[in-house]
Amino acid sequence: MRLIGYTLLELALVVGVVGVLAATAMPRLIGLHGDAGKTALNGSAAAATVAMALNASACAANNHVAAAGKCVSVNRCAQLAGVLQAGLPAGFAVGGVDPGLRNGSQSVCTLTDSAGNAKEFTATAAGN
C-alpha cells in the first residue's frame, strides 16, 4: 500500500514561498488604500465646485428664485449637501468662508474626509 501526500519539506517550502509573496504584496495593497481615499476626496471636491457652478447657472436662468429641481438657495459652504444630487458623501465635513448673499459671489470652502485630509472647492452664492 502506497501513501499519497506531501512531505514536510514540500509543505515548508510552499509556506515559505507564500510568506515571501505576502511580504512583498502587503505594502503595495496598504498603499493603495491611502491613494483611494485621496482620490475620493479630490473627486468629491471637484464635484462640489462643478455642482455649485451648475446651480448658480440654473438659478440665474430662473431669476435667482429658489425652486425645487431648478435652483437651490446657497449662501453658506455647509449648503453643499443640498446642491449635490446624492447629498454629501458619508464621512465628509464642509467648512470655510461662506460666499454670502450676493448672487454669483464666490468663496473658497474646504471639504474634509474622516481621516482629516482636506481639499478646497469653490462655492458660488445663488438663489438669494
Side-chain angles (χ1 to χ4, degrees):
M1 178 169 26
R2 185 168 180 205
L3 296 175
I4 299 175
Y6 297 104
T7 66
L8 186 57
L9 181 62
E10 290 169 329
L11 292 174
L13 184 63
V14 168
V15 168
V17 169
V18 169
V20 168
L21 290 175
T24 57
M26 288 305 282
R28 288 184 180 169
L29 293 176
I30 291 170
L32 290 178
H33 176 68
D35 290 346
K38 289 177 185 174
T39 301
L41 177 62
N42 290 341
S44 296
T49 297
V50 171
M52 288 282 195
L54 285 174
N55 181 61
S57 297
C59 286
N62 201 41
N63 293 321
H64 290 285
V65 176
K70 294 183 180 178
C71 173
V72 176
S73 178
V74 174
N75 56 32
R76 294 181 298 125
C77 294
Q79 292 171 313
L80 171 64
V83 176
L84 294 172
Q85 189 172 17
L88 193 63
F92 285 86
V94 180
V97 179
D98 294 330
L101 293 171
R102 196 175 116 248
N103 291 322
S105 64
Q106 295 183 327
S107 69
V108 177
C109 299
T110 306
L111 190 64
T112 307
D113 65 10
S114 57
N117 300 314
K119 183 73 177 175
E120 294 179 339
F121 69 93
T122 302
T124 306
N128 299 304

